[in-house]
Amino acid sequence: QVQLVESGGGLVQAGGSLRLSCAASGSIFSMGWYRQVPGKQRELVATITSGGSINYADSVKGRFTISRDNAKNTVYLQMNSLKPEDTAVYYCNGKTFFATREYWGQGTQVTVSS
């Protein structure tokens, strides 16, 4: 069982920046971030594999950057040019190869004020 511990959420004004971190208790193939607002489905933000393959949601391309330190089993999400519509609970996600197992963090709130 892999545990994911997130940090770095908070309140920021529109146009500002935040950096999220997620540390895994063990090595895991794919790590990433999803977000969810009340009443809506959880949606993909960005993912990165241990080999460095990256996927972004169209809504964050050019503003968010995902990175990973495999030695520390940690994934980061640098969020720039934040918009009010980025407000959500952000969840760290981890998947094993072929997604046979999936893990979630507890979530961290990101609030962007206009």
Side-chain angles (χ1 to χ4, degrees):
Q1 185 78 5
V2 174
Q3 293 184 333
L4 304 175
V5 179
E6 302 134 336
S7 60
L11 173 64
V12 65
Q13 288 189 330
S17 298
L18 282 174
R19 188 189 194 211
L20 305 182
S21 300
C22 173
S25 60
S27 178
I28 195 159
F29 173 67
S30 174
M31 297 184 74
W33 297 92
Y34 288 68
R35 65 188 182 186
Q36 188 171 25
V37 297
K40 291 191 176 181
Q41 283 191 322
R42 194 171 295 187
E43 64 176 11
L44 169 74
V45 176
T47 60
I48 183 169
T49 68
S50 55
S53 295
I54 291 174
N55 183 39
Y56 289 108
D58 287 343
S59 59
V60 306
K61 283 180 181 176
R63 300 188 298 121
F64 291 9
T65 301
I66 191 169
S67 60
R68 178 172 178 159
D69 185 334
N70 288 331
K72 295 182 179 179
N73 296 323
T74 299
V75 64
Y76 307 96
L77 185 68
Q78 179 66 44
M79 304 185 292
N80 298 330
S81 302
L82 282 160
K83 304 175 182 180
E85 50 263 44
D86 294 317
T87 296
V89 177
Y90 284 68
Y91 294 91
C92 183
N93 174 269
K95 294 186 181 71
T96 56
F97 199 69
F98 291 129
T100 51
R101 292 187 181 181
E102 186 172 31
Y103 305 98
W104 292 96
Q106 78 281 4
T108 185
Q109 177 70 45
V110 171
T111 302
V112 184
S113 63
S114 57

